[in-house]
Amino acid sequence: MAERDEALLTRARALEQAIGEIGTTLDETTTCRELASFLARHLHGSVTVDLRGEPGGPVRRAATAGAADTGGGDRTPGLAVPLAVHDEDALGTVTVTRRGGPGLSPDEAAVLRHAARLAARHLGHARRLVATEDTALHLQRALVAEPGRPHPNLEVAGGYLPAGPRALVGGDWFETVRLHFGRSLLVVGDVMGHGLDAAVDMNAYRTALREVAATDLPPHRVLRHLDSVVAEDDARRPATCLLVRVDPARDTATFASAGHLPPAVFGTDGSAELVDLPVGPPLGTGVGGYEPTTRSLAPGETLLVFTDGLVERRGEDIDVSLARLAALRLPPDSGPEQVVEEVLNRLDAHHAEDDVAVLAARIRARPAS
C-alpha cells in the first residue's frame, strides 16, 4: 500500500511539473521540445515528437530527446500516443521507447498521455491564435491598403504598419473622400483596442463616415453627427479621429479633431510645423463639442496626418514625442510618398509599440495661366 501511495505521489508531482514546463511559449517547435525533454527526463527513455502541419498533411519530426537509438541491446516495445485533446483531430504523435528493462508502467503511461494532451492543448491554442491574427491582419490590410480616390488636384500617399510581425492589428485607419467643387476630405482614426474586434469596429466607423461625409457637411459637423450615431450603439468602441477638408481652389485646409493628435505640415524647405487646433472628445461619447480650424495649405506644402503609434513611446510625455516629429528636417520639396517614407524611417516606426497609420497629401501646383 505504501508503495502504491508513493507511485501515485510521484505521478502527481510529474503532472504538476508538466503544467509548468510544457507550453511556455506560443512557438510550436518550442512546445514540442519541452514535451520531449519532460518525457525523456521523467520516463527515462527515448522520445520523438512528430507534428502534422494541417489535417491530412505531411508529418515532420518536431523534436527528439533522450538516449539515441544505436540499435544495440534488447528493445522494449515503445508506446505511441496521439497529440490530441479528447476527441479532437490529432496534431501528431509522441513516442517513448526504452532499451532494455521493463516497459512503461500504467502510471508512466498515464503521465505520457497527460503530457501529450497538455502539449496538444497549447499547440491548438497557438494555432487558433495565429489563425485569428492572420484574419485580422488580412482584414486590416484590405481596408487600409489604399486610400479612396481624392480629386486629381490632390496628391496623396499612405502607409500602415502593424505593431510587430505577429501582433494583433488594431483599429488604425485612414481614408480620403471626394467632395464637391474639387475638395477632398482626409481622414485618420484609431479605434481603441487591438485585434479583430477593433478592426471590425474600424470598418463600421469608416462606413458611417463615408455616408455622413457624402452630405458635404463641414468637418466638425461630420464628427458631431458621427459621434451621435456611434454613441447609440453600446457595442462600438470609442475612437479618436481627425478630419481635414482640403480646398485646392482656395489653398486652404479645415480641420476638426475628436481626441486625436495634431497633424504636421512640411514646408517646401523640409521643415515641419504642428497644426494648433482645438481637440474635442473621442467619438462614441455622445458629448460632441467639435470645433473647426482653417489654415492655408499652399501648393508645395505637404500635410501629414497620423495615428499615435507613429510618435508615442512608452514612458515618454506626448509633448516630447510630438516635438521629435516637429524637429524633423526632410529633403526640400518632399512629396507625399517621400514624406511618408522619411517619417516612418526617421521615427523608427517599423519598431513602434503600437500600430501606425499615416496619410500625406499635397495640393498639386496649378499650371501657369
Side-chain angles (χ1 to χ4, degrees):
M1 189 66 177
E3 183 178 347
R4 181 56 185 158
D5 289 343
E6 182 63 28
L8 289 175
L9 182 59
T10 300
R11 174 177 167 181
R13 288 172 177 168
L15 299 182
E16 183 179 2
Q17 291 177 18
I19 295 174
E21 296 179 13
I22 299 173
T24 62
T25 73
L26 293 174
D27 181 70
E28 286 191 353
T29 300
T30 300
T31 299
C32 291
R33 289 174 178 170
E34 291 170 346
L35 171 64
S37 176
F38 169 84
L39 291 174
R41 188 170 66 256
H42 284 271
L43 303 183
H44 310 291
S46 176
V47 182
T48 60
V49 181
D50 297 313
L51 195 62
R52 180 175 285 108
E54 56 186 30
V59 174
R60 67 179 178 89
R61 180 60 50 84
T64 60
D69 186 357
T70 61
D74 296 331
R75 177 168 183 166
T76 300
L79 179 60
V81 300
L83 280 169
V85 180
H86 304 303
D87 297 330
E88 295 181 4
D89 293 335
L91 303 177
T93 306
V94 55
T95 305
V96 178
T97 58
R98 285 173 173 167
R99 281 293 175 185
L104 296 182
S105 69
D107 286 321
E108 290 175 325
V111 169
L112 169 58
R113 292 189 177 91
H114 173 85
R117 288 196 299 269
L118 179 63
R121 178 73 72 186
H122 285 292
L123 291 170
H125 286 166
R127 290 187 176 186
R128 284 188 287 273
L129 177 60
V130 169
T132 301
E133 289 177 347
D134 288 344
T135 300
L137 185 57
H138 291 155
L139 173 61
Q140 182 82 0
R141 285 177 172 168
L143 291 172
V144 304
E146 294 291 340
R149 297 177 57 192
H151 285 282
N153 55 19
L154 198 66
E155 301 177 66
V156 298
Y160 169 75
L161 296 174
R166 292 188 55 200
L168 289 173
V169 297
D172 294 30
W173 57 288
F174 58 81
E175 177 65 288
T176 64
V177 181
R178 183 180 294 204
L179 303 175
H180 298 297
F181 310 113
R183 299 168 301 164
S184 295
L185 185 68
L186 310 181
V187 187
V188 65
D190 185 0
V191 178
M192 296 181 182
H194 293 272
L196 186 58
D197 290 341
V200 170
D201 279 351
M202 175 266 289
N203 188 39
Y205 273 102
R206 189 176 191 176
T207 301
L209 185 137
R210 286 172 174 170
E211 295 175 356
V212 177
T215 62
D216 212 6
L217 292 171
H220 67 291
R221 292 187 60 188
V222 172
L223 288 181
R224 187 185 308 163
H225 187 80
L226 190 59
D227 176 57
S228 62
V229 169
V230 175
E232 295 174 356
D233 187 351
D234 295 335
R236 294 291 174 218
R237 305 180 184 202
T240 66
C241 187
L242 176 67
L243 303 186
V244 187
R245 188 176 66 186
V246 180
D247 187 346
R250 294 178 172 81
D251 293 340
T252 60
T254 300
F255 305 81
S257 174
H260 208 82
L261 294 179
V265 174
F266 288 88
T268 56
D269 62 351
S271 62
E273 175 191 357
L274 296 177
V275 179
D276 185 18
L277 60 138
V279 179
L283 297 175
T285 63
V287 176
Y290 307 108
E291 301 178 29
T293 296
T294 301
R295 60 154 287 169
S296 64
L297 185 67
E301 293 182 324
T302 300
L303 173 69
L304 181 76
V305 295
F306 51 90
T307 56
D308 54 12
L310 177 67
V311 295
E312 284 189 346
R313 299 297 178 262
R314 185 176 301 173
E316 181 179 79
D317 187 86
I318 188 59
D319 291 334
V320 175
S321 305
L322 289 172
R324 185 185 304 110
L325 170 63
L328 292 180
R329 293 296 179 268
L330 305 186
D333 298 316
S334 295
E337 289 189 4
Q338 188 175 8
V339 167
V340 169
E341 181 180 358
E342 290 279 349
V343 169
L344 290 177
N345 288 334
R346 296 197 187 190
L347 297 182
D348 196 25
H350 295 274
H351 299 97
E353 298 169 349
D354 197 1
D355 302 335
V356 177
V358 294
L359 179 65
R362 179 171 69 174
I363 298 173
R364 295 184 187 275
R366 290 183 288 273
S369 56

